Amino acid sequence: MRLLIANDDGIYSPGIVALAEVAAKFGDVRIVAPDVERSSAGHSITASRPLSYKRSPIKDFEAYRVDGTPADCVALGAHNWEKVDVVLSGINLGSNLGNSMWHSGTLAAAKQAVLLGLRGIALSVATPRDELNFDLVKPSLEEVLALLLPERELTLVNVNFPEGKPKGLRWTRQSVRHYNGRVVPGQDPMGRKHFWFTVIPMEQAEEGTDRWSVEQGYVSMTPLRLDLTNENELERAQLKHPLL
Ligand code: MN
């Protein structure tokens, strides 16, 4: 099995090494990742200038750093390495739960895989106040990959690990409660105005959702699809305003 590994934290993130080390137990691994951090880049692509990459071995892994976005890395990686089976993205330092999926570059890399006809799995871990210990995550990550990789029907899965040692795995839905995407004004040391775009969940998570699962100490696995059509609204609109 050929496993292409990307992320949005950049090629020098400890999360990508931890992922590559576990993924190598399941197949051939190649890392193609942004040369700098691209967190919250979403599914942006670089279309107005050419892309380039440099060989950038990490430990014993074949790795390349790209001057582009997470989605660029997957497109380029899949172009240069034939017959990729699954794209693994992460492990992101920080959760990608609920509405934050819209901003996530980690998830975008997995989505780009699906757009290319491949499978994608996004992996993120909640970051504790002290230093993150990947040895706590790795056994769970191995369990997740052993479960998900043979499941060819699961084309896109968003996986989130809780802080510390997980209690187990859970299948979840995306939490879609409103969130607080606020702009907070501040001032830099030179007295100039600046603004922080902060995203904080407003309400408690509903049972069975990704956020709930991670808050309870479980690994959350949410199968996703790229078809965003609201079937109910489409049907309602067609009945109310028939256009034939
Ligand atoms: Mn990130």
Side-chain angles (χ1 to χ4, degrees), residues 5-7 10-13 16 30-38 51-58 61-69 72-74 76-77 80:
I5 296 189
N7 74 354
I11 195 150
Y12 303 111
S13 167
I16 206 164
R30 186 182 285 195
I31 297 170
V32 181
D35 54 1
V36 293
E37 180 170 354
R38 297 288 191 135
L51 289 167
S52 64
Y53 63 86
K54 288 202 169 75
R55 202 164 164 270
S56 190
I58 299 173
F61 299 111
E62 197 176 340
Y64 302 87
R65 62 182 197 271
V66 179
D67 61 346
T69 65
D72 290 334
C73 291
V74 171
L76 197 58
N80 284 343

Side-chain angles (χ1 to χ4, degrees), residues 85-186:
D85 293 290
V86 182
V87 172
L88 302 174
S89 177
I91 306 170
N92 188 63
L93 277 70
S95 302
N96 278 303
L97 299 161
N99 285 311
S100 64
M101 286 189 209
W102 292 103
H103 312 301
S104 172
T106 307
L107 181 59
K111 282 155 60 195
Q112 184 61 40
V114 180
L115 290 179
L116 295 171
L118 309 170
R119 294 167 57 205
I121 302 173
L123 304 133
S124 308
V125 60
T127 42
R129 280 178 191 278
D130 46 351
E131 204 174 328
L132 205 150
N133 181 359
F134 280 105
D135 289 337
L136 294 178
V137 183
K138 279 180 171 179
S140 257
L141 172 59
E142 189 169 341
E143 216 180 317
V144 165
L145 294 182
L147 183 71
L148 296 183
L149 288 176
E151 290 297 327
R152 295 178 177 277
E153 302 295 309
L154 290 171
T155 51
L156 181 60
V157 186
N158 187 35
V159 180
N160 280 269
F161 297 88
E163 271 188 49
K165 191 177 167 357
K167 292 181 192 165
L169 313 182
R170 290 283 182 270
W171 296 110
T172 56
R173 294 176 284 117
Q174 181 189 8
S175 168
V176 290
R177 289 219 171 143
H178 293 120
Y179 79 160
N180 188 355
R182 275 195 312 139
V183 173
V184 181

